[in-house]
Amino acid sequence: MTMDRAAAAGPADALPAASPYPPSSRYHDCPIAVHVGPDGGATPYVRHRLLPRTEEAAPVGAAVEHVVEAGDRLDVLAHRYLGDAGQWWRIADANDVLDPRELTAEPGRRILVPLPGGTVPGVARG
């Protein structure tokens, strides 16, 4: 006798699993779903990630404006401002564009760079 996956699931299967992504990943808080194919094979996938509203991605006082220069790249800007090139997606989220490459395509463009913890580079705290 065979049982389907839903019938075989126990109470622990209803508990959310820890994210397979590190806290610094844009996918960390995204729900993980499982697609069960016709052959019964299960394939986990990340559900759609909704972009935050601009004011949530870069709250007032927690961002700095950057004027794009020729050769700027989001990963380099993320390293400069956030200390981690892999956080380029935070800059993309803070600006209303569909393609992140738009942000650095034109020198002179002003973009928002959200800062960790609301700190502003070069300003002493204290």
Side-chain angles (χ1 to χ4, degrees):
M1 178 160 134
T2 60
M3 299 179 81
D4 68 9
R5 291 182 187 274
D13 294 318
L15 298 174
S19 176
Y21 299 97
S24 60
S25 170
R26 62 181 153 172
Y27 299 112
H28 182 266
D29 294 325
C30 293
I32 305 295
V34 177
H35 170 75
V36 178
D39 65 350
T43 306
Y45 66 95
V46 176
R47 288 191 177 264
H48 184 72
R49 176 180 170 266
L50 298 176
L51 292 177
R53 293 190 319 236
T54 300
E55 59 273 11
E56 292 171 358
V60 175
V64 66
E65 187 177 76
H66 174 82
V67 178
V68 174
E69 298 176 4
D72 274 351
R73 295 189 341 228
L74 287 187
D75 60 334
V76 174
L77 295 176
H79 178 71
R80 180 187 314 161
Y81 290 103
L82 305 173
D84 181 357
Q87 297 296 298
W88 63 268
W89 60 271
R90 292 188 187 279
I91 300 171
D93 281 0
N95 295 272
D96 293 326
V97 295
L98 291 177
D99 181 354
R101 293 173 291 201
E102 290 178 40
L103 294 175
T104 55
E106 185 179 327
R109 180 177 182 153
R110 296 178 183 280
I111 62 174
L112 281 180
V113 178
L115 300 173
T119 60
V120 178
V123 176
R125 298 186 137 233

